[in-house]
Every structure is written in structure tokens, then in C-alpha cells.
Amino acid sequence: MSLAPVGTETLRRQNTARVLRSLREEGPAGRARLAELTGLSRATVGAIVADLTERTIATEGSSRAQGRGRPVRPVALRPGAVLGLGMEVNVDYVAAAAVDLAGRVVATRTRPSDVDGAVDGVGRLGAELVEELGEDRFVGACLAVPGLIERDHRTVAWAPNLRWEGVRPSESLRRHLGPDLGQDVVVENDANLAALAEAHHGAALDHQHALYLTGTIGLGGGILESGRLVRGGGGFAGEIGHLPFGDRDAECGCGRRGCWEASVGLEAMLELTGEPAHDDPVAAAASVAARSDEASVRRALEELGRRVGLGIASLASILDPDVVVLGGYFAPLSPWLLPSADAALLERLPTAGRRRPTLRAGALGIDAAALGAAEHALGAVLDGTAALPDPSVVA
């Protein structure tokens, strides 16, 4: 039948993806061990390894003795051979990152920006990274946006802090990244991607069920269930910033009052602590941390932590995460926020015996969403739905 070649190609990609995932998650291994880990036949693994080494995507080391068995030639992913490009656009900054198939962070960049020039700013930053590392190494690109993303992963339905509604940023990014990479830029929520990054590289590395909270101008959440992102029926799961957990009189950037974001977002933190505005949320938090010897600042951070903890208590009752990761500006302030947040969480548990989630500071700082976007960009190769580069384009 005419569909047979397509089916064969799909199967080949899926089998290759199983080997790639094994090498990424378990590390270097010989062909026989790869067959055990992937459930593929040794002949299939042999053909895949030969193809990957021909493309210089993997390397096969020298034979070495392993107990009384036959010598083993360990297969490993070659660092930097295949890359995913991640970008983030936010109110005050843009960021870009590159991650390789082995999960190694190859490069990160962050730059101040503004709402009106955000798309061009992140496009230029991404293009600089691509030019520096080599366009042919990149197999995909993803943009992190603080807002609601349609299921097409191209359209930003609503991002109030960016003043975006119905915007398709990939069309503008194409001018900077070129037609090959730019036309396939996917768009995803920033908190979802930061959660993915913390699961692969940071504070949620050892947990399958996690909740990630952003701490930038806005407030968003990323939910991981069994290690996978929870997107919900319309793709909007995790939009927690506008839940009515905050001061009912506090006005939010969305135009309503009482949103959690209006009580714990960056602007609320600056107002509580008496800190002037900053271009970088993490830098703002570091400045506040430097004033932590002031009694008024400590009281303000204790109150902020209480507000955070009360919101987490409601979310924990619904989602039951193992760990809650506080990212963005929350992380540098975690020594002062976490104790009061944990106390508020404990106070609001329905029973004293109820297991409560561990609260942790994010480990990745301002780069989290861009790193998660780079991981997302590699996803199609790692799940077998996209092809690897041809041998001629991998240096």
C-alpha cells in the first residue's frame, strides 16, 4: 500500500527516539545494554547506532572489558551536535537558551526589553545565539510567553501584561531566525516551560508531581503530573495569577480586583518592601535581600510569604503536588518567604495528618522559561515525531 513507506519511516523515528531517550536518561551504554533498556532487538539497535554515529550525533567509544563478558563499546550522545532553541518574552526582559539532546545547557542569554519591542528583541537575541552556535544544529525553536496560549501553539490568546490578544509572534520571529527555523517556532506558556526546566535541570528533578509558580511581573503556574505537563481541555491549565486569592481591593493588571497576582506579583513585593522599580525581577529581589537586616523589610517579606502560602494551600488541596517550586523573583527571597509560606500552608490544611508538599526555591533563576522552551523544542525529536538532521548538516 502507498502508506507503507510512511509507516516504516514513522517506526524508524520512534525506535531512534527510544535510543536517544535512553542515552539521555541513562547515560552511555553498549549496544547490548541499549537493547535491554529500549526493548528493541540488537540488530535494530545496531542499525540505529550506526546511523547516529554516521550523522555524528552519537559517538561509540573504544572497547573496554566489563567483567567476564565481551568487551563493550559505550555509545554516547555527542555534546552540542543537535540543539533546541528556547526563547522567552516578558514585560521587562527577553531571554534565549540552547540545550542539546543530552540535556546539557549549551548557552543562555538575557537582556532588558520593553513591551513594545519585545518580539523584535527576543528575535534578535535568538538569532545571535543561532549564528554563534550554527543554524544547522538546531532542530526546533519555542517561545515562552506569560499568557494563555491556544491549542495551535502559535497564537497567544491573552497576555495582559504584554497587552497581547490574538497575537501570532512566530510570524515576526521568522524575520530574525530565517525561514527554516522561524516558520516552525511554537509558542507555550512561560510557567509551563519553567516547570519543565525545573523538572529536567532544577528543583523538581526528583519529583513526578510538581507545581511551579512564576514570580515576575505576573504570576503563573506550571503543573506536572507523572512528569508531564498538564494543559487542560483548552490548554489554559495553570493560569493561577487571576484566581481570587488576593486582597479584594488590590487592582490587577488585567483590570479586575482581588487577583492573587495583585497581592504577590513583583509590583506587590516592591510596594511592600519599599523597593524602587527594577528592569530585572531577580535583580529587584536581590536588592531587597540585601536590605533584609531592616526590620520593616523582614516584616514585609513575612507577610508576602503568608500570602503566597495561603494561595498554595488552596492549590495543594486540588492538585496534591509532591513539591511546589517558587521561581522568578521568589527564589532569591526564599530564605524569608518559605518559612511563613510553609506556616500558612500548614495552618490551612484540612487535617493535621494531611501530607503537605515540600516548598522549594527554583534553581534556574531568570533562565528557567527559556531553558524549558529549549527542552520543548527538542521534544519532537525525542518522541519520534520529527526527524534528526541529515548527516551532511551535522558538523
Side-chain angles (χ1 to χ4, degrees):
M1 294 175 62
S2 60
L3 293 178
V6 176
T8 300
E9 175 62 22
T10 297
L11 181 61
R12 187 158 63 96
R13 288 182 183 179
Q14 291 173 347
N15 288 341
T16 298
R18 289 164 76 173
V19 172
L20 292 173
R21 290 196 303 271
S22 178
L23 291 173
R24 177 185 172 117
E25 295 166 8
E26 304 294 337
R31 295 187 182 198
R33 178 59 177 158
L34 281 172
E36 292 176 12
L37 291 170
T38 61
L40 300 172
S41 69
R42 292 194 182 191
T44 299
V45 168
I48 291 170
V49 169
D51 181 57
L52 293 176
T53 54
E54 179 186 354
R55 296 168 184 257
T56 65
I57 291 168
T59 60
E60 196 166 17
S62 302
S63 297
R64 65 186 186 197
Q66 189 173 26
R68 302 175 113 188
R70 297 175 59 184
V72 173
R73 298 183 63 191
V75 180
L77 292 170
R78 189 166 73 88
V82 176
L83 303 173
L85 174 65
M87 298 169 287
E88 180 190 8
V89 56
N90 218 304
V91 176
D92 295 323
Y93 68 93
V94 292
V99 173
D100 68 13
L101 274 179
R104 186 175 65 103
V105 178
V106 176
T108 59
R109 302 282 188 277
T110 305
R111 184 176 296 166
S113 185
D114 58 70
V115 172
D116 294 332
V119 176
D120 284 335
V122 77
R124 286 192 295 270
L125 190 60
E128 290 172 14
L129 208 57
V130 170
E131 182 177 4
E132 175 186 330
L133 298 173
E135 181 180 0
D136 291 341
R137 294 183 177 185
F138 287 89
V139 292
C142 177
L143 176 68
V145 174
L148 302 177
I149 311 302
E150 296 283 4
R151 274 194 170 276
D152 64 1
H153 292 289
R154 296 291 189 276
T155 307
V156 181
W158 186 53
N161 292 321
L162 293 176
R163 303 194 297 269
W164 288 6
E165 188 170 355
V167 174
R168 294 175 63 89
S170 58
E171 296 176 2
S172 298
L173 290 173
R174 190 180 309 166
R175 297 197 302 268
H176 298 284
L177 300 177
D180 291 341
L181 190 60
Q183 69 182 358
D184 294 324
V185 177
V186 296
V187 183
E188 181 58 272
N189 174 264
D190 63 335
N192 281 349
L193 294 172
L196 195 64
E198 291 286 357
H200 282 286
H201 303 279
L205 188 62
D206 53 346
H207 291 281
Q208 289 290 298
H209 311 286
L211 170 64
Y212 176 89
L213 304 183
T214 63
T216 58
I217 294 293
L219 176 70
I223 306 164
L224 290 172
E225 178 68 24
S226 300
R228 293 183 174 274
L229 283 173
V230 175
R231 291 188 170 87
F236 300 156
E239 283 300 315
I240 59 176
H242 303 286
L243 292 173
F245 293 166
D247 179 352
R248 68 180 62 184
D249 295 323
E251 185 174 358
C252 183
C254 71
R256 293 175 292 184
R257 294 182 183 273
C259 296
W260 195 22
E261 177 178 303
S263 291
V264 302
L266 178 65
E267 291 183 4
M269 185 274 284
L270 296 176
E271 183 178 353
L272 275 172
T273 58
E275 184 72 17
H278 286 257
D279 289 337
D280 184 335
V282 175
S287 181
V288 171
R291 297 170 47 219
S292 62
D293 57 342
E294 300 175 22
S296 62
V297 171
R298 289 198 302 272
R299 286 194 299 270
L301 293 178
E302 183 178 348
E303 168 61 17
L304 186 67
R306 187 188 71 84
R307 297 178 184 181
V308 171
L310 290 176
I312 290 174
S314 296
L315 294 172
S317 295
I318 300 168
L319 301 173
D320 191 26
D322 294 326
V323 63
V324 178
V325 179
L326 303 183
Y329 92 76
F330 292 134
L333 298 177
S334 61
W336 301 275
L337 297 180
L338 290 183
S340 56
D342 195 51
L345 174 59
L346 178 60
E347 179 185 335
R348 294 302 297 266
L349 290 178
T351 65
R354 169 75 180 269
R355 181 187 65 84
R356 71 183 190 272
T358 301
L359 305 187
R360 289 184 180 175
L364 303 176
I366 205 71
D367 296 322
L371 287 172
E375 289 283 358
H376 192 282
L378 290 170
V381 166
L382 288 170
D383 67 16
T385 57
L388 287 161
D390 291 331
S392 60
V393 301
V394 181

